[in-house]
Amino acid sequence: MNLFLEFWLWISDPAQWSGGAGIPTRLGQHVLYSAQALALATLIGVPVGLVTGHTGRGGFLTASIANFARALPTIGVLMLVVIAVGIGVAPVMVALVALAVPPILVNTYEGVRGVDPQLKDAAQGMGMRGHEVLLKLELPVALPLILLGMRTAAIQVVSTATIAAYVGIGGLGRFIVDGQARREFDMVVGGSLLVVALAVLVTLMFYLLRRFLVAPGLRQAAAK
Amino acid sequence: MGDQPLIRWDWIARNWDDPVGTRLLEHIQLALVPILIGLLIAVPLGVVCARWRWLYPSVFTGVNILYAVPSIALFFLLLPYTGFTQWTAIIPLSLYTLAILVPNVVDGLYQVPQHVRQAAIAMGFSPLRRLIQVELPIALPVAIAGLRVAAVATISMVSVASLVGLGGLGQLILTDGFRRQFPTPIIVGIVLSVLLAFLVDGLLVLMQRLLTPWTRGSERAARRTSAARREAGAGTTAPATDTGSRRAEAT
């Protein structure tokens, strides 16, 4: 329990709440990097997944690339890119996007592939064209799985954005790095628990998104 | 980096045994132990949840919360308690594999068709024998799909353990590569880590083929059923079931 006491003492110290090294700044950086990486990964993963899922082509290639990206050790990618192009936001983005694309891409692909063929027949029977079937039928039906992939990606990104501190661009990981260097354990605890809290918050956010975005009919089908 | 070549083969040759080999062995150990621990806990837990279904929602919520807790943060939180022992890496990674494995074991057991279960009962199988000889084998493909995700994810996540100073290929990347601005060890670390992940993944596929000879040739059909099932059960958003089927896609 003293873990939480330590956290409380640290977080309630007003010194943590101001200046360039305070919680608001670090938290802001962390959220910003994570959101940017997730947005980029979504922009790559969803369209590619939708097209490959819809046409049924390139599925094997998609899965292979996603597999490969999943096996890549993020920290190695980050440090290699830092050595190649120097310290900055770009290496962190490359590493985080490489981490976030596979779950989004594969879930989108699987979601679209999993749409009931009878529904697609019905949509075509109603005179929908290929892109209409994709956007009006396959995308909404696949949405729960796509959101699930985005949630998986978001949690991994939030947790891994911690390593941004190791290449000197801030974020909540900074508290962990500095705390370790100065042997101030309360700082390490503070930084770590803030990351945990942020990840839990992201999970809750995706529950809400799911509630509001997924069509009511699909939600009922899922609940039965 | 300057005019230095991207890969210095002579460095690899000179350091093959010591930093490279040692780190690789550490990496294998740090990855395999959590996978085994996760499996040892997840299978009994999954069996219990499949038998007493009212237990599953609360276990599932617990597992989902575990999944949301970043391992990186846990490494640091555990450090003062477990110190620089391997447990600092093993505990968070085991919890993480648990979060992927439990839903897959339960899903696999849920898939056992009712008529198969009734046939086993009619043949006079005791509950334990039915579990071991009928239900677990049928659940195996879905469970192994989860195991493959857990294994690949764990092997790539072990690298992070080097930030805490626990060894593994991440240490090669961080200490020999990054701190000295020398790309060769970083590339060696990445390549070995990816190869290790693929090797373990391949072994698991092989294991599944050997253990479930009756699924050969009908794998696509099996995948379709599991996709349909997952779609139907999507109301509770399982992180692992989706990853499980994702991996199944790669077969």
Side-chain angles (χ1 to χ4, degrees), chain B residues 108-109 111-113 116 133-142 212 214:
Chain B
L109 287 170
Q111 271 186 25
V112 178
V116 173
Q133 294 194 336
V134 178
E135 294 175 350
L136 282 178
I138 292 178
L140 210 60
V142 179
T212 60
W214 61 88

Side-chain angles (χ1 to χ4, degrees), chain A residues 2 67 70-71 73 75-76 79 83 103 106-107 109-110 148 152 156 159 163 166 176 180 185 199 203 207 210 222, chain B residues 64 67-68 70 72 76 80-81 96 156 159 163 174 178 186 190 223 230 232 234-235 237-238 242 246-247 249-250:
Chain A
N2 64 347
N67 256 348
R70 204 195 314 270
I75 184 166
M79 290 176 175
I83 289 192
V106 181
N107 268 38
Y109 174 81
E110 277 285 335
L148 196 54
T152 309
Q156 285 177 346
S159 115
I163 58 177
Y166 282 84
I176 298 177
Q180 252 194 329
F185 181 58
T203 308
Y207 269 112
R210 194 188 150 80
Chain B
N64 254 341
Y67 189 80
I72 301 181
F76 290 102
Y81 302 99
Y96 180 79
S156 92
S159 298
L163 295 183
L174 186 71
F178 187 64
I186 303 185
I190 295 175
R223 194 170 61 74
R230 182 196 55 233
T237 51
D242 82 290
R246 265 194 262 154
R247 296 289 311 192
E249 181 56 24

Side-chain angles (χ1 to χ4, degrees), chain A residues 7-68:
Chain A
F7 177 65
W8 175 248
L9 289 176
W10 179 78
I11 206 169
S12 55
D13 181 353
Q16 312 298 346
W17 288 93
S18 57
I23 292 172
T25 317
R26 297 292 185 220
L27 189 67
Q29 289 166 333
H30 204 98
V31 171
L32 182 70
Y33 299 145
S34 306
Q36 281 174 339
L38 189 67
L40 266 173
T42 307
L43 283 178
I44 298 170
V46 171
V48 176
L50 283 179
V51 171
T52 48
H54 178 70
T55 57
R57 281 179 202 165
F60 179 74
L61 191 67
T62 309
S64 309
I65 293 172
N67 256 348
F68 176 71

